Amino acid sequence: MSTQPAFTVLDDSDASLGIAEVAHLSGLSQDTLRWYEREGLLPAVHRGTDRRRRYSRRDAALVEMLAKLRDSGMPTEEMREFSRLVAGGAATHGQRLAILERHRDRIHRRQVELDQHLASLDEKVSHYRYLIGAGLDCDGQPVPTLPATRSSPTPAEGESR
């Protein structure tokens, strides 16, 4: 199991990124980033002298993590709580771990369900491939062949042969 972070590590720890750069890094739209901020999923993003959002390296890493949590089905309220705990510093590591482990367990349970559904679909696909290959209908009877069609085009309305 890898111990590498699940987010992009920026080279310059003092780097300040604009919203377009963070959107690109995270795969989220700029509107989604603004929504995350309005909904309290992100702490207030610092603004530059030009009043534009400026994200720190940590902000960008949090955005990437939140995007992964959302994509994997974490409820918004839990994302909000996770983000709030991140702002609380190292003293909240245990609480953050608990949130992530609960979510991880949900993902594993869902993965088991999806694997079962996939196995059912694979069975049905195999069944239909067999029927088609054998020329059978769903009752195991031969599929009647359609009568051969004429190779010459049908005359247009009003035309005679």
PDB file of all heavy atoms in Angstrom, residues 4-17:
ATOM      1  N   GLN A   4       2.244   7.478  -0.380  1.00  0.00           N
ATOM      2  CA  GLN A   4       2.304   8.758  -1.074  1.00  0.00           C
ATOM      3  C   GLN A   4       0.973   9.484  -0.929  1.00  0.00           C
ATOM      4  O   GLN A   4      -0.080   8.853  -0.882  1.00  0.00           O
ATOM      5  CB  GLN A   4       2.601   8.550  -2.570  1.00  0.00           C
ATOM      6  CG  GLN A   4       3.983   7.994  -2.832  1.00  0.00           C
ATOM      7  CD  GLN A   4       5.068   8.942  -2.384  1.00  0.00           C
ATOM      8  OE1 GLN A   4       4.995  10.129  -2.632  1.00  0.00           O
ATOM      9  NE2 GLN A   4       6.067   8.418  -1.695  1.00  0.00           N
ATOM     10  N   PRO A   5       0.992  10.816  -0.857  1.00  0.00           N
ATOM     11  CA  PRO A   5      -0.263  11.555  -0.753  1.00  0.00           C
ATOM     12  C   PRO A   5      -1.116  11.353  -2.004  1.00  0.00           C
ATOM     13  O   PRO A   5      -0.588  11.146  -3.088  1.00  0.00           O
ATOM     14  CB  PRO A   5       0.178  13.017  -0.614  1.00  0.00           C
ATOM     15  CG  PRO A   5       1.619  13.058  -0.946  1.00  0.00           C
ATOM     16  CD  PRO A   5       2.166  11.667  -0.874  1.00  0.00           C
ATOM     17  N   ALA A   6      -2.421  11.424  -1.825  1.00  0.00           N
ATOM     18  CA  ALA A   6      -3.356  11.243  -2.934  1.00  0.00           C
ATOM     19  C   ALA A   6      -3.681  12.570  -3.589  1.00  0.00           C
ATOM     20  O   ALA A   6      -4.766  12.774  -4.079  1.00  0.00           O
ATOM     21  CB  ALA A   6      -4.624  10.577  -2.420  1.00  0.00           C
ATOM     22  N   PHE A   7      -2.746  13.495  -3.590  1.00  0.00           N
ATOM     23  CA  PHE A   7      -2.979  14.796  -4.182  1.00  0.00           C
ATOM     24  C   PHE A   7      -1.673  15.309  -4.776  1.00  0.00           C
ATOM     25  O   PHE A   7      -0.606  14.785  -4.511  1.00  0.00           O
ATOM     26  CB  PHE A   7      -3.527  15.803  -3.160  1.00  0.00           C
ATOM     27  CG  PHE A   7      -2.730  15.841  -1.875  1.00  0.00           C
ATOM     28  CD1 PHE A   7      -1.583  16.604  -1.768  1.00  0.00           C
ATOM     29  CD2 PHE A   7      -3.125  15.088  -0.784  1.00  0.00           C
ATOM     30  CE1 PHE A   7      -0.852  16.624  -0.598  1.00  0.00           C
ATOM     31  CE2 PHE A   7      -2.394  15.113   0.394  1.00  0.00           C
ATOM     32  CZ  PHE A   7      -1.257  15.879   0.479  1.00  0.00           C
ATOM     33  N   THR A   8      -1.781  16.333  -5.578  1.00  0.00           N
ATOM     34  CA  THR A   8      -0.624  16.923  -6.216  1.00  0.00           C
ATOM     35  C   THR A   8       0.189  17.699  -5.201  1.00  0.00           C
ATOM     36  O   THR A   8      -0.356  18.497  -4.446  1.00  0.00           O
ATOM     37  CB  THR A   8      -1.070  17.878  -7.347  1.00  0.00           C
ATOM     38  OG1 THR A   8      -1.893  17.141  -8.238  1.00  0.00           O
ATOM     39  CG2 THR A   8       0.111  18.453  -8.073  1.00  0.00           C
ATOM     40  N   VAL A   9       1.475  17.452  -5.183  1.00  0.00           N
ATOM     41  CA  VAL A   9       2.353  18.209  -4.301  1.00  0.00           C
ATOM     42  C   VAL A   9       3.022  19.285  -5.143  1.00  0.00           C
ATOM     43  O   VAL A   9       3.660  18.989  -6.146  1.00  0.00           O
ATOM     44  CB  VAL A   9       3.425  17.289  -3.657  1.00  0.00           C
ATOM     45  CG1 VAL A   9       4.373  18.093  -2.806  1.00  0.00           C
ATOM     46  CG2 VAL A   9       2.757  16.199  -2.844  1.00  0.00           C
ATOM     47  N   LEU A  10       2.837  20.520  -4.743  1.00  0.00           N
ATOM     48  CA  LEU A  10       3.423  21.635  -5.474  1.00  0.00           C
ATOM     49  C   LEU A  10       4.846  21.862  -4.981  1.00  0.00           C
ATOM     50  O   LEU A  10       5.151  21.657  -3.811  1.00  0.00           O
ATOM     51  CB  LEU A  10       2.583  22.897  -5.270  1.00  0.00           C
ATOM     52  CG  LEU A  10       1.122  22.763  -5.689  1.00  0.00           C
ATOM     53  CD1 LEU A  10       0.344  24.003  -5.299  1.00  0.00           C
ATOM     54  CD2 LEU A  10       1.010  22.516  -7.168  1.00  0.00           C
ATOM     55  N   ASP A  11       5.721  22.281  -5.872  1.00  0.00           N
ATOM     56  CA  ASP A  11       7.128  22.455  -5.536  1.00  0.00           C
ATOM     57  C   ASP A  11       7.368  23.596  -4.560  1.00  0.00           C
ATOM     58  O   ASP A  11       8.136  23.480  -3.631  1.00  0.00           O
ATOM     59  CB  ASP A  11       7.946  22.707  -6.811  1.00  0.00           C
ATOM     60  CG  ASP A  11       7.958  21.493  -7.710  1.00  0.00           C
ATOM     61  OD1 ASP A  11       7.799  20.367  -7.194  1.00  0.00           O
ATOM     62  OD2 ASP A  11       8.121  21.666  -8.916  1.00  0.00           O
ATOM     63  N   ASP A  12       6.728  24.704  -4.768  1.00  0.00           N
ATOM     64  CA  ASP A  12       6.995  25.899  -3.983  1.00  0.00           C
ATOM     65  C   ASP A  12       5.957  26.024  -2.872  1.00  0.00           C
ATOM     66  O   ASP A  12       4.789  26.276  -3.135  1.00  0.00           O
ATOM     67  CB  ASP A  12       6.955  27.123  -4.910  1.00  0.00           C
ATOM     68  CG  ASP A  12       7.255  28.418  -4.191  1.00  0.00           C
ATOM     69  OD1 ASP A  12       7.543  28.407  -2.979  1.00  0.00           O
ATOM     70  OD2 ASP A  12       7.186  29.453  -4.852  1.00  0.00           O
ATOM     71  N   SER A  13       6.381  25.860  -1.620  1.00  0.00           N
ATOM     72  CA  SER A  13       5.423  25.883  -0.519  1.00  0.00           C
ATOM     73  C   SER A  13       4.770  27.259  -0.343  1.00  0.00           C
ATOM     74  O   SER A  13       3.740  27.362   0.289  1.00  0.00           O
ATOM     75  CB  SER A  13       6.093  25.448   0.781  1.00  0.00           C
ATOM     76  OG  SER A  13       7.131  26.352   1.097  1.00  0.00           O
ATOM     77  N   ASP A  14       5.359  28.305  -0.875  1.00  0.00           N
ATOM     78  CA  ASP A  14       4.768  29.627  -0.778  1.00  0.00           C
ATOM     79  C   ASP A  14       3.923  29.967  -2.006  1.00  0.00           C
ATOM     80  O   ASP A  14       3.454  31.090  -2.134  1.00  0.00           O
ATOM     81  CB  ASP A  14       5.874  30.686  -0.624  1.00  0.00           C
ATOM     82  CG  ASP A  14       6.614  30.540   0.693  1.00  0.00           C
ATOM     83  OD1 ASP A  14       5.998  30.067   1.669  1.00  0.00           O
ATOM     84  OD2 ASP A  14       7.809  30.878   0.728  1.00  0.00           O
ATOM     85  N   ALA A  15       3.740  28.999  -2.882  1.00  0.00           N
ATOM     86  CA  ALA A  15       3.027  29.250  -4.129  1.00  0.00           C
ATOM     87  C   ALA A  15       1.597  29.684  -3.838  1.00  0.00           C
ATOM     88  O   ALA A  15       0.960  29.203  -2.908  1.00  0.00           O
ATOM     89  CB  ALA A  15       3.017  28.006  -5.000  1.00  0.00           C
ATOM     90  N   SER A  16       1.126  30.586  -4.648  1.00  0.00           N
ATOM     91  CA  SER A  16      -0.237  31.063  -4.570  1.00  0.00           C
ATOM     92  C   SER A  16      -0.858  30.794  -5.930  1.00  0.00           C
ATOM     93  O   SER A  16      -0.333  31.217  -6.952  1.00  0.00           O
ATOM     94  CB  SER A  16      -0.216  32.562  -4.258  1.00  0.00           C
ATOM     95  OG  SER A  16      -1.511  33.073  -4.252  1.00  0.00           O
ATOM     96  N   LEU A  17      -1.947  30.071  -5.927  1.00  0.00           N
ATOM     97  CA  LEU A  17      -2.573  29.662  -7.177  1.00  0.00           C
ATOM     98  C   LEU A  17      -3.911  30.360  -7.363  1.00  0.00           C
ATOM     99  O   LEU A  17      -4.660  30.539  -6.404  1.00  0.00           O
ATOM    100  CB  LEU A  17      -2.817  28.151  -7.176  1.00  0.00           C
ATOM    101  CG  LEU A  17      -1.598  27.269  -6.980  1.00  0.00           C
ATOM    102  CD1 LEU A  17      -2.025  25.828  -6.742  1.00  0.00           C
ATOM    103  CD2 LEU A  17      -0.691  27.363  -8.179  1.00  0.00           C
TER     104      LEU A  17
END
